Amino acid sequence: MEQVDIYERISQMALTAHGTVVHGSLTQQQVLEEVTAAAVRLLDGVDHAGVTLVRRVGKGRRPEYLESTASTGDAPRTFDALQHEHGQGPCFEAIWTHQTVRIEDVETEDRWPRLTRAVVEQTPVRSVLSIQLYTDGQELGALNLLAEGTGRFDPETEDSALNLATHAAIALSSARRGEQFRSALASRDRIGQAKGIIMERFDVDAIRAFDMLGALSQEMNVPVSILAAQLISRDHPTKPDLPS
């Protein structure tokens, strides 16, 4: 496949993903799944793909936890589990150093000997390309491309993978903003409904109802949105299913 064709197809995929994200039909998880599926479909030599998510702990370089997501099969999940178990590997390096990390041959790689021995024993993976995917506050991610043969990732494939990761970061940012916006709308609606319940029950105006919610939130040390949800649930309990 010619390089220009790959770029065109990646760009088209990104436009489609961005459009659906903007209109609220793609979540962050769905964007990641689109990216890993596209990596296997579009990039030469890629047999498996997955995304690794980690969180920082304080100012150190050790992750709080590692999560494997949007994997195209068992190999990426096992590869991530082994990196987590040994606390080392190319995805950690890509995330913390902001660099693309390549393993030409897992069997001869000497940077992470404990990990690579386990990878050879437990997976068909023999070459790896890890690219930092995005950074958002305390959350970091890497796109991991895996191949069952050695020396699969040449500079052209790496260039295409970086292009894909860049588009993915844009789509992820849009998806995250969309989810935050929808969450904020839902929270506002819950608070409005809870205010209505208080106004009706205690014959007070909207300002007084909101003040009462705020005071109760401080007293109980519970966010107003959660308190509102609890109030709505108590006022309108879910009816049990009738026996058939």
Side-chain angles (χ1 to χ4, degrees):
M1 184 183 298
E2 293 183 3
Q3 193 73 4
V4 65
D5 185 44
I6 292 176
Y7 281 137
E8 287 174 357
R9 294 179 68 181
I10 289 174
S11 296
Q12 185 59 48
M13 185 209 77
L15 286 172
T16 302
H18 184 68
T20 50
V21 162
V22 168
H23 290 92
S25 59
L26 276 188
T27 64
Q28 293 182 62
Q29 179 62 25
Q30 289 169 327
V31 169
L32 292 175
E33 289 170 356
E34 287 280 336
V35 168
T36 53
V40 174
R41 186 171 66 250
L42 300 179
L43 303 182
D44 290 338
V46 177
D47 295 314
H48 313 279
V51 171
T52 305
L53 302 178
V54 300
R55 285 185 179 274
R56 295 178 186 270
V57 175
K59 297 180 180 179
R61 291 165 61 90
R62 297 286 296 177
E64 180 180 352
Y65 68 83
L66 181 152
E67 177 188 355
S68 183
T69 187
S71 300
T72 59
D74 290 335
R77 284 189 288 270
T78 303
F79 184 73
D80 262 349
L82 291 172
Q83 289 187 97
H84 184 56
E85 177 184 340
H86 293 283
Q88 58 181 212
C91 86
F92 288 104
E93 193 73 17
I95 288 168
W96 298 123
T97 65
H98 305 261
Q99 295 178 352
T100 298
V101 179
R102 189 191 308 183
I103 297 179
E104 296 284 354
D105 186 345
V106 171
E107 294 194 52
T108 59
E109 176 61 54
D110 58 6
R111 282 175 289 184
W112 310 284
R114 291 183 294 118
L115 169 68
T116 51
R117 279 196 301 270
V119 170
V120 170
E121 292 170 359
Q122 300 181 42
T123 80
V125 175
R126 293 299 177 267
S127 52
V128 179
L129 188 66
S130 291
I131 304 167
Q132 188 190 53
L133 187 55
Y134 66 94
T135 303
D136 181 34
Q138 294 299 303
E139 189 173 69
L140 304 172
L143 173 63
N144 298 310
L145 308 180
L146 312 175
E148 297 184 8
T150 61
R152 288 281 189 87
F153 303 119
D154 57 25
E156 278 129 3
T157 301
E158 183 175 330
D159 196 28
S160 297
L162 286 167
N163 185 277
L164 177 60
T166 299
H167 285 306
I170 296 169
L172 275 170
S173 178
S174 297
R176 182 173 293 109
R177 287 197 301 271
E179 289 181 2
Q180 290 171 345
F181 179 68
R182 290 191 292 275
S183 175
L185 285 179
S187 176
R188 187 187 67 178
D189 289 344
R190 283 194 300 270
I191 293 172
Q193 191 174 345
K195 279 169 55 181
I197 292 170
I198 294 173
M199 290 167 67
E200 181 182 359
R201 286 285 178 86
F202 299 100
D203 192 23
V204 296
D205 61 21
I207 295 176
R208 178 58 180 154
F210 185 76
D211 287 343
M212 291 170 68
L213 262 179
L216 190 58
S217 170
Q218 289 185 347
E219 180 182 325
M220 298 178 64
N221 195 28
V222 175
V224 171
S225 60
I226 295 177
L227 190 62
Q230 293 173 348
L231 181 60
I232 294 166
S233 177
R234 185 179 180 85
D235 193 69
H236 301 289
T238 303
K239 295 181 180 179
D241 293 335
L242 296 176
S244 56

